[in-house]
């Protein structure tokens, strides 16, 4: 086992926390903007995504404080496109989830062979993000 790079791990975790907190805002916004005959299930989907993003931010924050880091009060920058068709929102969501996946992969690369717990956490999050990517791709399929 190699030694954990605490500062690099803390920095990555803070970036993930900012991104997950931005996800709470993003998905809440999307849930409010959905219109049309399929509104109800899509709103429920986005509300669930917002709740999950908050849970992820909280989990990351607990790890951060466990590593004696200081959780950020910031959220990642978000761009308002003002495009609110269901297809646009799902496409933006897929882009967001792909970035989240990359961030958790960076975390895994950083903690690999240094912390079994952090490796397993990162792998679990990667699995969840991959599943979200697949789900969004399926949701977008009929729009092609």
């Amino acid at each position: 086992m190699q030694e954990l790079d605490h500062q690099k791990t803390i920095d990555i975790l803070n970036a993930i926390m900012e991104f997950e907190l931005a996800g709470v805002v993003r998905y809440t916004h999307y849930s409010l903007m959905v219109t049309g005959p399929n509104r109800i299930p899509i709103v429920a989907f986005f509300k669930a995504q917002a709740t999950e993003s908050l849970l992820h931010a909280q989990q990351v924050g607990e790890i951060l404080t466990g590593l004696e880091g200081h959780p950020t009060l910031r959220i990642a920058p978000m761009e308002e496109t003002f495009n609110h068709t269901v297809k646009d929102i799902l496409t933006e969501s897929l882009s967001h989830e792909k970035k989240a996946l990359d961030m958790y992969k960076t975390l895994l690369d950083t903690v690999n062979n240094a912390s079994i717990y952090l490796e397993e956490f990162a792998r679990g999050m990667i699995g969840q993000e991959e599943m979200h990517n697949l789900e969004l791709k399926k949701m977008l399929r009929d729009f092609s």
Side-chain angles (χ1 to χ4, degrees):
M1 277 244 166
Q2 65 188 31
E3 188 162 336
L4 182 68
D5 184 336
H6 273 76
Q7 193 54 58
K8 185 174 181 186
T9 303
I10 287 169
D11 292 345
I12 293 167
L13 288 168
N14 259 317
I16 290 171
M17 188 169 174
E18 288 180 13
F19 196 75
E20 291 288 7
L21 289 172
V24 175
V25 174
R26 173 184 300 279
Y27 288 126
T28 299
H29 175 77
Y30 290 165
S31 76
L32 298 169
M33 299 309 298
V34 174
T35 58
N38 299 314
R39 181 177 193 281
I40 301 302
I42 295 170
V43 166
F45 170 78
F46 283 124
K47 284 181 177 180
Q49 292 299 108
T51 299
E52 187 173 281
S53 288
L54 179 58
L55 175 62
H56 290 174
Q58 291 167 337
Q59 290 172 318
V60 167
E62 289 292 347
I63 294 168
L64 265 165
T65 55
L67 293 173
E68 298 180 15
H70 186 267
T72 181
L73 283 173
R74 294 186 308 258
I75 66 170
M78 288 176 288
E79 183 182 327
E80 167 61 272
T81 64
F82 296 98
N83 298 322
H84 297 117
T85 69
V86 172
K87 181 182 181 186
D88 288 331
I89 290 171
L90 291 172
T91 300
E92 287 177 26
S93 298
L94 181 58
S95 175
H96 178 81
E97 293 296 332
K98 284 178 177 175
K99 178 136 172 45
L101 178 58
D102 288 343
M103 294 177 88
Y104 284 110
K105 285 180 176 179
T106 299
L107 175 63
L108 179 59
D109 289 343
T110 302
V111 301
N112 200 28
N113 291 320
S115 168
I116 301 288
Y117 172 73
L118 292 176
E119 273 185 49
E120 292 303 313
F121 173 76
R123 287 180 200 284
M125 299 307 277
I126 288 167
Q128 287 184 45
E129 298 300 343
E130 286 179 345
M131 193 174 70
H132 293 318
N133 276 270
L134 290 173
E135 192 65 38
L136 285 162
K137 285 176 185 174
K138 285 199 288 189
M139 291 172 81
L140 278 163
R141 206 174 283 160
D142 286 350
F143 291 103
S144 304

